[in-house]
Amino acid sequence: MARDRIAVGVVVRRVLPPIVLGLLCLALFSPRLLHLARYTWQEDRYSHAWFIPLVSLLWLWVHRREIATAPRRPANTGAALVGIGILLWIAAQGRSFNALAHLSMMLVLVGVVAGSGGWAFFRAVAFPTLYLVFVFPVPKRLDDVYVGPPLQAVASSVSAKLIDLFGVPVVREGNVIDVPGTRLLVEEACSGIHSLYTLAALGTAWVFFGERRTWERIVLIAATVPIAIAANVFRVTVTGLLAYYVDPALADGFFHEFGGMVVFAFGLLALLALSGVLRLVSPARPREEAE
């Protein structure tokens, strides 16, 4: 009985503090979390955010045995990181700075994990912890200035050239592509932003669920950006060809209703193909399989 009480006491001392701290942080961040829930529900490009916590939980369940055996030694630097995160959170509230608020939430989360289990334990759960960053929207200025417009320009420019290669008369003015019988407006929703963010989140999860070498993971995650761009160029090009050779009404329906699914399928197939090519070019050695 005495040993059982000691064991229970040890478990309580290890588990209770991080649970209490986690609940306090959850209460502190609850207004921001509710705002994120409403925003991601209304904004199509971030609809994948609802699945991010589920992916993290699934990863934890799949790797529960490895996590259970991971060394645990609470780190004071984790507690310091929690303090820094809370200070940043307070500063963000005064300035209504969303990006700073999101950064502070991630710092607090990392600090809680490291402070309760240590940095060796954090490395064991680094992916499901850091993967939660996909819940947060990209800062609006970065999205509106440095992401959206370049993607629109690339999609419209390359698509117009490809349509011309098929012998279709085409005139491009900015993000507007004119083909006989219809006009294609490469709007922000059709520029690749939606598929880029979703493909990046899904591709990252897929990469870390499999047994892959570190450099393979880096290449595959980085490849989601050009793959998303190529997928949307394919979407706009096919739309223009359908408008000219089949029926403008059919092309319009494809462009707005089925284009997103085609782009997403294109992106997934491209990632699978690239993964296969990497394995063919550089087969994993027995020692590397465990990496």
Side-chain angles (χ1 to χ4, degrees):
M1 287 294 291
R3 291 182 179 179
D4 292 340
R5 290 178 181 177
I6 293 174
V8 171
V10 171
V11 171
V12 170
R13 286 195 298 272
R14 286 185 176 182
V15 175
L16 190 58
I19 290 179
V20 172
L21 183 58
L23 291 175
L24 290 174
C25 293
L26 186 62
L28 176 65
F29 298 139
S30 58
R32 170 61 54 177
L33 293 174
L34 291 174
H35 171 76
L36 284 173
R38 289 192 296 268
Y39 182 79
T40 53
W41 183 264
Q42 298 170 355
E43 191 68 34
D44 290 340
R45 76 184 70 179
Y46 297 114
S47 57
H48 62 272
W50 288 84
F51 299 97
I52 301 302
L54 298 179
V55 171
S56 291
L57 290 174
L58 178 61
W59 193 96
L60 290 171
W61 173 256
V62 171
H63 296 84
R64 62 190 183 279
R65 293 181 180 176
E66 297 93 320
I67 296 171
T69 58
R72 302 194 182 194
R73 184 175 297 173
N76 293 331
T77 50
L81 204 58
V82 171
I84 294 173
I86 292 176
L87 290 176
L88 291 178
W89 171 261
I90 296 172
Q93 303 313 300
R95 297 174 177 269
S96 297
F97 195 177
N98 291 335
L100 186 60
H102 299 160
L103 173 62
S104 70
M105 293 170 71
M106 288 302 300
L107 287 177
V108 169
L109 177 61
V110 172
V112 169
V113 175
S116 59
W119 290 108
F121 177 76
F122 173 79
R123 285 194 293 271
V125 295
F127 168 71
T129 303
L130 299 179
Y131 186 67
L132 294 174
V133 74
F134 282 107
V135 169
F136 303 121
V138 174
K140 185 172 179 56
R141 178 172 176 77
L142 179 65
D143 204 1
D144 293 343
V145 177
Y146 300 104
V147 179
L151 287 179
Q152 285 177 277
V154 170
S156 56
S157 175
V158 177
S159 299
K161 294 177 181 178
L162 291 176
I163 293 172
D164 182 64
L165 288 177
F166 282 91
V168 178
V170 58
V171 177
R172 171 180 171 257
E173 295 181 1
N175 295 322
V176 178
I177 300 175
D178 285 309
V179 298
T182 191
R183 167 174 286 190
L184 305 176
L185 176 59
V186 185
E187 299 174 339
E188 181 180 327
C190 309
S191 64
I193 295 177
H194 292 190
S195 56
L196 174 60
Y197 296 154
T198 304
L199 189 63
L202 183 61
T204 301
W206 173 68
V207 164
F208 277 89
F209 266 94
E211 293 294 334
R212 293 179 177 82
R213 292 163 291 183
T214 301
W215 70 267
E216 283 184 283
R217 289 173 174 172
I218 294 173
V219 170
L220 289 170
I221 293 173
T224 58
V225 176
I227 285 175
I229 294 173
N232 280 277
V233 168
F234 171 79
R235 174 186 189 178
V236 177
T237 302
V238 171
T239 300
L241 297 177
L242 286 174
Y244 183 75
Y245 288 111
V246 184
D247 182 8
L250 177 62
D252 184 69
F254 174 86
F255 190 60
H256 291 288
E257 296 177 16
F258 303 105
M261 292 184 288
V262 171
V263 165
F264 198 64
F266 181 100
L268 290 179
L269 290 175
L271 276 176
L272 288 171
L274 178 59
S275 179
V277 169
L278 292 178
R279 285 301 174 99
L280 287 175
V281 172
S282 179
R285 298 176 181 176
R287 292 182 179 178
E288 293 177 321
E289 289 289 353
E291 184 177 345

